[in-house]
Amino acid sequence: MAGAAEEEESTIYGINVTPLVDVMMVLLIIMMVTARIIVAQGMPMKLPEAASTNVVPKMFSVDITKDGHTYVEKKLVKDGESLLRLAADARRKNEDVRAIIRADAKTLHREVIHVLDILRQAGIAKIAFAVTPVGERSTKD
């Protein structure tokens, strides 16, 4: 019985965390390496240059002034049908066309919604609104 008492006293009742820390460090390193590749969307490389390419998406710029005038690529558009025709032409030329609506802060809401509706009718699904960052706001308001 004396031998059993000695064994109980020498038993260590702790958890050895060294292997756990080693495994966690390896997992952390793997996560950091794969996250960097995922963010980069591929391996970094120098691509060859070409004179022509159709990969760059075309931007379709629509400006709406505070008095309701609509401009496409800085040219005045008389009515909604003309805007629809220009947007449909841009969509035909490039399936991945992206529209940017730049509206004055004092433009009526219905004017912006009207342009947005026309762009959607033309089949343009990628639409963004241009804004001015807060720090760069003009004092002319």
Side-chain angles (χ1 to χ4, degrees), residues 62-70 77-80 83 101-104 106-119 129:
V62 180
D63 299 333
I64 308 169
T65 61
K66 63 183 172 186
D67 55 355
H69 292 107
T70 304
V77 176
K78 299 286 184 190
D79 56 5
L83 177 60
I101 299 175
R102 295 176 358 130
D104 188 274
K106 297 183 180 180
T107 302
L108 294 176
H109 182 71
R110 69 171 174 251
E111 299 292 333
V112 176
I113 295 300
H114 178 68
V115 169
L116 183 61
D117 186 45
I118 289 174
L119 293 174
F129 292 93

Side-chain angles (χ1 to χ4, degrees), residues 33-98:
V33 170
T34 56
R36 188 169 182 213
I37 292 171
I38 290 171
V39 169
Q41 295 294 325
M43 299 299 291
M45 63 182 74
K46 183 170 173 52
L47 297 175
E49 296 177 358
S52 64
T53 178
N54 57 2
V55 176
V56 178
K58 171 92 169 78
M59 301 304 263
F60 186 76
S61 175
V62 180
D63 299 333
I64 308 169
T65 61
K66 63 183 172 186
D67 55 355
H69 292 107
T70 304
Y71 293 85
V72 173
E73 308 297 331
K74 299 185 181 181
K75 295 177 185 169
L76 181 64
V77 176
K78 299 286 184 190
D79 56 5
E81 290 179 19
S82 301
L83 177 60
L84 179 62
R85 189 171 39 257
L86 289 169
D89 287 344
R91 171 92 160 78
R92 255 191 307 278
K93 290 177 185 174
N94 185 358
E95 290 287 321
D96 196 34
V97 67
R98 298 163 191 245

